[in-house]
Amino acid sequence: MRGRGSVIAVAFAALATCTATPPQASTPTRNAPVTVGLNVAQAAPTHSVSIPVESQRPDFWFSAPAVQGGLVTARAPSGTRAVLFNGTELPLTAEGFFLIGLDRDAENSASLVALFSDGQRMEHYLPVAPGNWKIEHVAANPTGGAKTTEEFQARRGPELARINAARALRVNSDGWRQNFIRPVTGRISGLFGAQRIYNGTPGSYHSGMDIAAPSGTPFVAPADGVVTLAAVDEAFTLEGHLLMIDHGMGLNSAFLHCSELLVREGDVVKQGQIIGKVGATGRASGPHLHWGMKWNSARIDPRLVIPAI
């Protein structure tokens, strides 16, 4: 079993020289993979052959380096019966794959532990690179679709309850395995992680990516999933007509400020399917699509799961 220093050193060396492709046809394909725990000379060349067979897979495999706001597909060592991420057990596929999401404010390293059937365990510390967060000034009504502070407070509790209930659902979807696509074409008008200043008053950081587009422009599902929330009839105070899709493995997408939603709760959607139209409902300074992502409680930057813009 390798120590922390040697594992991290090999990981960064592999980043600079090679990639590897997991063996199953159904393997997640997002991002350029990284082989961790193998000698660089033994790692598979880019897009040529599979990584070593099960009996020769001694360490963790990662699809990409970890960064604040990032999403990483990982694979456990052969024979792993359970994986702990910062002390919490994660869902594990039959092939040993699992997801890791790093929040915008994640610590500079994360703990992974593989538990084996014979009682042994393997520990790995994953370095997490820092993000680069901006400051954005926004001219928008702080109470959004509510006319008064009292109205906002009365409406906000039930809205948050619906959002939290939707995120607590766990559905059977393999959308998380796909290469995500952009839901709509347009200028990036707001960045994930940016500190927001609303009318001169500091607010919370921006939790998604804004894509400017004319009101009524159709947008599509970035990956397969199941609709867990669709605020069709009444717009939420801040989010407007809100749509949430669960992609499986604790990963979900949220689309805010829509002018119209074309799917309903419980619908199964496919990547590329038109699911709504861009708008400016809720707290918005103009028509755009806010695309937010979460892995469990960690907020993810959507720009990091799609091809470079």
Side-chain angles (χ1 to χ4, degrees):
M1 188 179 303
R2 297 178 182 271
R4 175 182 177 183
S6 63
V7 171
I8 293 175
V10 172
F12 280 105
L15 273 175
T17 59
C18 65
T19 59
T21 304
Q24 279 75 20
S26 60
T27 294
T29 55
R30 178 175 49 255
N31 301 324
V34 178
T35 302
V36 175
L38 301 175
N39 293 328
V40 175
Q42 297 174 328
T46 304
H47 305 304
S48 59
V49 297
S50 299
I51 61 174
V53 296
E54 299 293 309
S55 61
Q56 297 176 319
R57 182 161 52 84
D59 291 302
F60 287 99
W61 173 92
F62 302 100
S63 66
V67 61
Q68 287 178 331
L71 185 70
V72 179
T73 300
R75 196 177 189 191
S78 301
T80 298
R81 65 169 180 81
V83 168
L84 305 181
F85 175 71
N86 289 337
T88 300
E89 185 172 347
L90 300 181
L92 196 64
T93 71
E95 311 101 322
F97 290 104
F98 59 97
L99 276 185
I100 300 172
L102 290 311
D103 190 79
R104 186 254 203 193
D105 298 322
E107 299 291 336
N108 60 9
S109 70
S111 167
L112 279 172
V113 177
L115 303 178
F116 300 94
S117 299
D118 61 3
Q120 295 190 37
R121 53 190 282 143
M122 176 189 294
E123 297 186 16
H124 175 81
Y125 289 91
L126 185 68
V128 179
N132 181 22
W133 316 123
K134 309 296 184 181
I135 296 178
E136 295 178 347
H137 293 266
V138 180
N141 179 8
T143 58
K147 296 179 180 179
T148 66
T149 301
E150 291 74 21
E151 179 188 350
F152 175 79
Q153 292 174 342
R155 293 175 55 183
R156 195 58 184 155
E159 291 172 355
L160 289 174
R162 284 188 65 184
I163 292 172
N164 292 334
R167 285 191 170 131
L169 295 174
R170 289 294 181 267
V171 305
N172 183 20
S173 175
D174 283 333
W176 65 276
R177 290 179 177 266
Q178 296 175 310
N179 288 317
F180 281 58
I181 62 175
R182 290 187 64 172
V184 67
T185 300
R187 175 178 60 88
I188 304 303
S189 57
L191 297 173
F192 171 87
Q195 171 66 56
R196 282 289 177 91
I197 309 295
Y198 293 97
N199 303 319
T201 302
S204 59
Y205 73 80
H206 192 223
S207 61
M209 176 178 73
D210 288 345
I211 307 173
S215 185
T217 302
F219 66 91
V220 304
D224 294 356
V226 177
V227 177
T228 54
L229 193 157
V232 175
D233 299 323
E234 184 176 3
F236 284 15
T237 51
L238 301 185
E239 297 84 2
H241 289 295
L242 168 65
L243 178 65
M244 293 178 61
I245 296 176
D246 192 322
H247 304 294
M249 293 290 269
L251 183 65
N252 63 71
S253 288
F255 305 96
L256 283 60
H257 312 306
C258 307
S259 61
E260 185 179 357
L261 303 181
L262 304 179
V263 291
R264 299 296 183 267
E265 291 176 12
D267 286 356
V268 175
V269 299
K270 295 295 183 181
Q271 185 178 63
Q273 175 184 338
I274 295 176
I275 54 178
K277 297 181 180 180
V278 174
T281 56
R283 185 170 67 184
S285 58
H288 69 280
L289 182 68
H290 171 111
W291 176 20
M293 295 188 75
K294 289 191 79 173
W295 175 78
N296 297 331
S297 61
R299 294 190 181 277
I300 305 302
D301 185 353
R303 289 200 309 165
L304 299 181
V305 303
I306 57 176
I309 297 173

